[in-house]
Amino acid sequence: MKRLMIVVIGLCLFSASTTYEEAFAEESYGWNFKPAKNNETPTTEEQYLEWLDKYDGYFLGDANEKELYVTFDSGYENGTMPDLLDILKEKQVPAAFFVTGHYLESEPELIKRMANEGHIVANHSWSHPHFPDLSDERIIEELKKVEDHYFALTGNPMHYVRPPRGTFNERTLDVSKKYGYHHIFWSFAYVDWNTDDQKGKAYAYEKIMDRVHPGAILLLHSVSTDNRDALGDVIDQLKAEGYTFKSLDELTGKHSASPIISGQTSEPQFGLQPFVTWINP
C-alpha cells in the first residue's frame, strides 16, 4: 500500500511539473526590425505587425512625417542621466524613460525630475525577467510593482510598457494590453548598452544619423556615455533637417507626461480590476 501511494504521488508531481512547463515553456520572440538604407523607413515581421495592431503596440510613428520619438531604456544609473536631462531641457525635446524597479528604488530624485520636466516615465518591469517564462499573474505583478512605486513618487499613472529583453509572445502582449498598457517597441537601435565598449561621440552620432527616419521610435540606453555626448548635436542636426520631436502621448492620445501631483492620497487607477475580471470570469 505504501509503495502504491509513493507511485501515485510521484505521478501527480510529474503531471503538475509537466503542466507547468507546457504552460510557460512557450515559443518566444525577440523584437527585430529590418533597417533600410538612405534614412528610409524600416519594417518588421508580418506576424509582429499583426500583433501590434491587435494588441495596441507601436514600433513606428507616421512614416510620412518627419517626426521622432526619443525613448531610453534605464535599468540603472551610470552618471549620465543628469546630463541627458539637461540636454533635453535645453533643446526642449520630450522623451520617454522605460525604467526598472532598481532604477525607481535607487534614483527617486531623477525619476521625479523626469516627471517634473515633462517626460514620460514608462514600465520596463520590476526585475527585468523574460516575460514568456512568467504566468499571467507574475507578469502583472512585475508591472504593478513598478507603477505602484512610480505612483508613490509622483502621483502619476503609467500607460506604456517595453518588454524586458525585447522578448514576448502573443500571450504576454495580450496580458499587458488587458492590464491597460500600450507596447512600445522601436524602429531604431544600435549596440550602445555595453559600458565597457563605448566608442565615442562621433560613433554614436554617425550611427543615429545614418539610420534615423521619419516616424522613428528611437531606442537609446541611458547608460551610454556615447549617447550622452552625441545627443545635443544629434538633436540640433535633426531639427536643422526639418524633424520635430514628439511625445509618445501625441502618438497614442494618452496623457502620461505630468508634473508630480502633490498631496495625492487616492489609490492609482490602473488596469488591475479588468484583469482580475478577465482571469476570474
Side-chain angles (χ1 to χ4, degrees):
M1 183 68 178
K2 183 182 293 184
R3 182 179 179 185
L4 178 60
M5 288 177 65
I6 292 171
V7 170
V8 171
I9 291 170
L11 287 172
C12 289
L13 290 173
F14 176 79
S15 176
S17 174
T18 302
T19 301
Y20 179 84
E21 290 174 358
E22 286 176 352
F24 303 118
E26 302 171 335
E27 189 164 10
S28 175
Y29 301 86
W31 178 256
N32 69 80
F33 61 93
K34 303 171 185 178
K37 296 181 179 179
N38 303 317
N39 302 105
E40 295 176 355
T41 304
T43 187
T44 187
E45 308 295 338
E46 285 297 324
Q47 180 66 78
Y48 295 0
L49 293 174
E50 292 176 13
W51 284 347
L52 291 179
D53 183 60
K54 184 176 181 180
Y55 298 109
D56 292 344
Y58 297 83
F59 87 105
L60 186 69
D62 188 341
N64 296 312
E65 298 292 336
K66 297 187 80 170
E67 298 173 347
L68 301 172
Y69 304 87
V70 179
T71 73
F72 291 91
D73 281 4
S74 302
Y76 66 97
E77 177 53 33
N78 191 38
T80 52
M81 188 63 76
D83 292 335
L84 290 172
L85 290 172
D86 287 346
I87 293 165
L88 294 169
K89 184 176 182 179
E90 176 191 351
K91 307 296 183 184
Q92 293 295 290
V93 168
F97 296 92
F98 289 83
V99 300
T100 61
H102 174 78
Y103 204 96
L104 282 162
E105 287 192 315
S106 62
E107 302 294 341
E109 295 309 311
L110 286 175
I111 294 290
K112 292 176 184 178
R113 182 178 171 189
M114 292 171 194
N116 275 331
E117 293 184 1
H119 301 296
I120 290 170
V121 181
N123 207 320
H124 200 39
S125 80
W126 186 260
S127 61
H128 209 260
H130 180 61
F131 271 10
D133 286 349
L134 304 186
S135 68
D136 296 356
E137 292 84 356
R138 281 284 293 114
I139 292 172
I140 295 304
E141 287 175 13
E142 284 282 330
L143 297 176
K144 188 175 188 301
K145 195 170 181 180
V146 170
E147 62 189 25
D148 282 352
H149 274 68
Y150 181 60
F151 183 85
L153 287 172
T154 69
N156 293 328
M158 285 182 163
H159 295 300
Y160 307 111
V161 60
R162 176 165 286 155
R165 313 182 195 185
T167 56
F168 61 96
N169 59 29
E170 187 170 14
R171 177 182 65 88
T172 68
L173 295 174
D174 187 36
V175 169
S176 298
K177 179 194 173 182
K178 286 176 176 174
Y179 191 55
Y181 276 93
H182 288 287
H183 291 84
I184 304 296
F185 291 96
W186 57 91
S187 62
F188 168 87
Y190 77 104
V191 180
D192 62 347
W193 58 84
N194 187 349
T195 57
D196 293 326
D197 188 28
Q198 295 292 287
K199 295 180 170 63
K201 172 181 175 179
Y203 178 83
Y205 179 89
E206 290 171 6
K207 280 290 185 182
I208 297 170
M209 297 305 300
D210 185 51
R211 296 294 189 188
V212 74
H213 51 272
I217 295 177
L218 302 165
L219 166 57
L220 302 171
H221 284 82
S222 61
V223 295
S224 168
T225 55
D226 290 354
N227 287 336
R228 176 198 63 193
D229 295 343
L231 183 61
D233 289 347
V234 165
I235 290 171
D236 288 343
Q237 182 59 36
L238 289 172
K239 284 183 175 181
E241 293 181 12
Y243 281 96
T244 58
F245 292 86
K246 299 286 188 177
S247 165
L248 290 178
D249 285 349
E250 295 176 89
L251 181 63
T252 67
K254 293 289 186 179
H255 183 67
S256 299
S258 300
I260 293 173
I261 302 173
S262 60
Q264 182 70 49
T265 56
S266 61
E267 290 297 315
Q269 299 301 308
F270 301 123
L272 183 59
Q273 185 58 44
F275 176 77
V276 171
T277 301
W278 169 56
I279 62 174
N280 297 304

